[in-house]
Amino acid sequence: MERLYPDYCSMAPEEIYQDLTFPGDLLDRPYVAINMVTTVDGKATLGGKSYSIGSKADHLVMRRIRAAADGLMIGGETLRRENVNPSVPTDLQERRIARGLAPQPRGIVVTGTAGLPLTGTFFRTGAFPPIVVTTGRVSQERIAALEPHARVLVAGEERVDPHLMMRTLADEYGIHRLVVEGGPTLNGVLLDEGMVDELFWTVAPKLVGGPALRTMIEGGALPIDDLARLQLLSLHHHENELYIRYRVAR
């Protein structure tokens, strides 16, 4: 692996982001970093899933980024399509403890329907029960079915209120550093609300084509005079795959 920016060096893949940390001192919400992988032509899913787009090195990078956070957030549709395991391996767990973090990042899933695969890995791994963020429209019967498997946070009536959700995650659950791994609709909501601080983007050396496949950000477009501007923080390269870290600024 090579670091191309901000200064050149050669390194082993295991060294990437080994000292990664995020600020944890925002007053009203967690510090948020989105982590996504796409093809060169910008497609974020293949066959409805993202995991197969990146390489083994990308999966290593994903775990390194998770290891710097208090929580890992995904959308309900992502969880229904993929068997997400929010945990990090033992060596990264030990580093987390040394930094004063919990042994594992806490899994968080955002869903308007609360219809989730409760037998999947997401609900069976980690030091703490995952958090399900949902709305007041969900029936009490469905919430009761979730409660043996997760902590349920109702944040809004008709739709999830991002500000209430983030404030509660920080104040009541101690989530001050949050990594979001999509899906694209969740990414779009958080970007639109000005809640994204960094973007980690793996560019896989693949071309897919086709107009119907999703990109990393979906939903309403930002106004032209209020686009999210990106500042490059680092760029790594390994076997034709690129790992890009941006800071997001308005």
Side-chain angles (χ1 to χ4, degrees):
M1 178 172 287
E2 300 169 300
R3 185 175 66 210
L4 306 179
Y5 184 86
D7 54 301
Y8 179 86
C9 73
S10 179
M11 62 175 65
E14 293 77 14
E15 296 179 89
I16 188 171
Y17 300 145
Q18 63 180 350
D19 297 318
L20 179 65
T21 60
F22 297 126
D25 56 356
L26 298 186
L27 295 179
D28 59 347
R29 65 171 177 85
Y31 188 89
V32 175
I34 287 178
N35 180 31
M36 294 292 288
V37 57
T38 75
T39 61
V40 171
D41 54 337
K43 308 308 185 195
T45 60
L46 292 176
K49 299 181 179 182
S50 63
Y51 191 79
S52 60
I53 295 177
S55 66
K56 290 183 178 179
D58 169 61
H59 301 159
L60 181 150
V61 168
M62 176 179 64
R63 291 190 289 271
R64 285 293 173 88
I65 296 169
R66 289 178 176 179
D70 300 310
L72 169 70
M73 177 178 286
I74 58 173
E77 185 62 25
T78 297
L79 186 57
R80 285 187 286 270
R81 289 178 177 271
E82 305 195 41
N83 186 29
V84 178
N85 181 349
S87 65
V88 298
T90 302
D91 62 324
L92 297 182
Q93 178 176 316
E94 293 171 352
R95 291 189 184 188
R96 287 174 58 84
I97 294 171
R99 293 176 179 175
L101 301 178
Q104 294 286 348
R106 192 156 189 172
I108 304 159
V109 57
V110 183
T111 170
T113 65
L116 301 171
L118 298 178
T119 58
T121 305
F122 188 86
F123 289 97
R124 298 177 179 272
T125 305
F128 302 100
I131 300 167
V132 175
V133 183
T134 191
T135 71
R137 295 189 296 112
V138 174
S139 69
Q140 288 302 310
E141 290 79 9
R142 181 158 287 184
I143 289 178
L146 287 171
E147 287 176 335
H149 306 275
R151 300 292 180 264
V152 180
L153 166 58
V154 176
E157 287 302 316
E158 295 303 315
R159 60 184 290 271
V160 172
D161 180 336
H163 296 273
L164 175 58
M165 172 181 71
M166 290 298 195
R167 188 167 59 248
T168 305
L169 289 175
D171 292 346
E172 297 187 14
Y173 291 95
I175 307 295
H176 300 290
R177 306 159 192 87
L178 180 65
V179 169
V180 179
E181 294 183 1
T185 301
L186 176 60
N187 293 345
V189 169
L190 297 179
L191 184 66
D192 186 55
E193 296 292 337
M195 293 182 172
V196 180
D197 302 291
E198 293 193 28
L199 170 65
F200 291 82
W201 177 24
T202 296
V203 184
K206 300 173 182 177
L207 293 170
V208 180
L213 298 179
R214 308 183 81 191
T215 64
M216 72 166 77
I217 305 289
E218 297 285 344
L222 293 172
I224 293 177
D225 59 353
D226 193 31
L227 298 179
R229 306 292 179 175
L230 304 179
Q231 176 190 356
L232 183 64
L233 297 181
S234 67
L235 172 63
H236 293 77
H237 164 266
H238 180 67
E239 295 182 351
N240 299 312
E241 200 165 61
L242 298 176
Y243 314 100
I244 309 171
R245 181 185 182 188
Y246 285 111
R247 178 179 290 119
V248 181
R250 291 288 178 90

